[in-house]
Amino acid sequence: GRNVLTRYADKTAALRAIRACLRDGSCLSLAEVVPRRGQRLSALVDLTALDAALVARLQAAEEAIYDAADDPQVNWDSADLAVMLHTAGFELRAPLNVDVQEDERHLTAAHLARWFSRSAEGSRPSYAGHLLSHLTEEELRRVETCFRRQLLDQIVTWQITLVLSARYQRIDDK
């Protein structure tokens, strides 16, 4: 499966449900994006036009997005996945492989509008919504201007981290 777990708050319960569908001795192979290790937007721009204190708060705010213990989308990493799989009744049969992949992305006005929207997308705050917990509205406008000047209609190298080829065998019930 690919990105099977990202939408579930209780990943262990989801894995138990998957396990219940498998026959004894079956294997599960996953490719899961690890949002916690996702692309930091601030790494895509030259921040030297902003003062050092603002840059430090921007980067702290950005890291807080990925360190949120109460957010099931980002509150796990590859080591946590191994524990969840074991807890759900799977046994590791091949090494867990963490792979950082890069691709080229064309950043459009729609990307920037979504990132800097002041309203939430569903139940999740936008990037700007997260930043406003650390920055003033004026500071956010300065950051947005910096991003727009450098990123609008540009092609950037985007990184994602995947946990790949995690082969887990269903542990037979005793």
Side-chain angles (χ1 to χ4, degrees), residues 24-120:
D24 290 346
S26 298
C27 288
L28 173 66
S29 295
L30 296 173
E32 294 287 327
V33 170
V34 183
R36 171 171 275 176
R37 296 193 195 184
Q39 175 68 55
R40 302 311 192 252
L41 300 182
S42 66
L44 298 173
V45 295
D46 176 358
L47 299 171
T48 56
L50 304 174
D51 63 81
L54 175 54
V55 170
R57 285 196 317 284
L58 166 63
Q59 291 171 335
E62 204 169 44
E63 288 308 313
I65 296 169
Y66 297 96
D67 287 337
D70 62 340
D71 184 345
Q73 188 171 8
V74 298
N75 67 358
W76 64 278
D77 208 329
S78 55
D80 303 308
L81 179 58
V83 170
M84 289 182 270
L85 283 156
H86 181 75
T87 301
F90 291 93
E91 182 179 303
L92 181 64
R93 292 292 187 208
L96 200 62
N97 183 18
V98 177
D99 185 34
V100 176
Q101 298 181 351
E102 294 183 344
D103 68 3
E104 301 295 309
R105 291 204 182 169
H106 176 227
L107 299 180
T108 65
H111 287 105
L112 293 162
R114 188 173 59 251
W115 295 346
F116 288 100
S117 169
R118 302 311 194 260
S119 59

Side-chain angles (χ1 to χ4, degrees), residues 110-141:
H111 287 105
L112 293 162
R114 188 173 59 251
W115 295 346
F116 288 100
S117 169
R118 302 311 194 260
S119 59
E121 290 182 21
S123 62
R124 297 184 61 80
S126 67
Y127 180 69
H130 282 290
L131 295 184
L132 281 171
S133 65
H134 291 78
L135 307 178
T136 67
E137 184 65 43
E138 173 55 32
E139 289 171 327
L140 180 59
R141 275 194 291 277

